[in-house]
Amino acid sequence: MTAVTTARSNVVLGAVLLAVFVALGLVVRGSPGVVDDALRETIGGQWQGAVGTVAAWVSLVLGPPLPVITGVALIVVTVRLRQLDDPRTRTLLRVLILLVACRITSVVAKPIFARDRPRTYPDAFSYPSGHVASVASTGFALAVLCAWLYPHLVRLVSWLAVVATALAAAARVALAVHWLTDTVGAVLAVGGVGLLVGVALKLLPPPRGGVASAS
């Protein structure tokens, strides 16, 4: 499969993911679905006990700080590489833009769908989950970065991203501050935007063998 064909496939897949994200948001914003309701009944007040304590710690680690820390690190390294006239500078800058684009999906979408949370919470809107979007966007950006600079780490980073995103989603649902579909929506939004922006920035598909082969 040629790079052009792969890029087109990524665009199609990205558009489909965004379409499903929007459709899901429209369906669930009025009332929770069967699965959402069932989980809320199952969890009940457990978020106030040991389960909630563990979930709170997971949310503290796997949440909005991740893309901020990653973004700052990318900026620092980019500035340093630019001073050294390193060809990897442009790649890091594009990955930074990709990270920001993926992360702001929840910020932009929440007031549009204006979905109520399962329980009272300072941030009124629920769909999609900002915590899950934060973890998913960080994982997506790092996986793309590795595809360009450290191809041998792509598989490991991708798996870590999947596990971290799943843990973040489970924690938010366990805390009863998000519906399950909020977490699914976050993954759909990040995946859709990530693929479309990745192609637009010419980060996807990555060059075979890393950035050296593209320079």
Side-chain angles (χ1 to χ4, degrees):
M1 184 178 290
T2 66
V4 173
T5 303
T6 303
R8 289 175 178 171
S9 298
N10 287 334
V11 169
V12 172
L13 179 57
V16 170
L17 291 177
L18 278 184
V20 175
F21 163 70
V22 173
L24 178 62
L26 293 174
V27 169
V28 303
R29 68 175 178 176
S31 60
V34 176
V35 176
D36 282 334
D37 243 347
L39 275 176
R40 180 173 60 177
E41 292 300 322
T42 301
I43 294 170
Q46 292 184 34
W47 61 271
Q48 296 174 306
V51 172
T53 300
V54 174
W57 278 104
V58 172
S59 288
L60 187 64
V61 176
L62 301 177
L66 275 184
V68 174
I69 294 172
T70 304
V72 170
L74 285 172
I75 292 172
V76 172
V77 176
T78 299
V79 170
R80 179 54 180 164
L81 291 181
R82 183 177 178 80
Q83 293 173 340
L84 299 174
D85 198 25
D86 193 302
R88 293 173 294 180
T89 302
R90 189 166 177 268
T91 300
L92 264 67
L93 181 58
R94 287 183 291 162
V95 171
L96 176 61
I97 296 172
L98 176 66
L99 172 64
V100 173
C102 290
R103 174 60 188 94
I104 64 173
T105 51
S106 69
V107 178
V108 173
K110 277 188 176 183
I112 294 176
F113 294 100
R115 187 188 193 190
D116 293 330
R117 290 180 183 266
R119 65 178 175 89
T120 303
Y121 194 71
D123 182 359
F125 300 137
S126 185
Y127 183 90
S129 167
H131 274 69
V132 176
S134 294
V135 179
S137 60
T138 301
F140 191 98
L142 290 180
V144 171
L145 179 65
C146 286
W148 277 77
L149 303 183
Y150 311 103
H152 61 287
L153 294 178
V154 172
R155 185 182 297 273
L156 173 62
V157 171
S158 297
W159 274 109
L160 288 175
V162 170
V163 172
T165 301
L167 286 175
R172 301 309 282 171
V173 173
L175 285 170
V177 294
H178 274 296
W179 308 98
L180 176 63
T181 45
D182 295 335
T183 65
V184 174
V187 174
L188 290 171
V190 169
V193 170
L195 288 172
L196 293 176
V197 174
V199 171
L201 293 174
K202 296 183 179 180
L203 284 170
L204 296 174
R208 293 183 179 180
V211 71
S213 64
S215 50

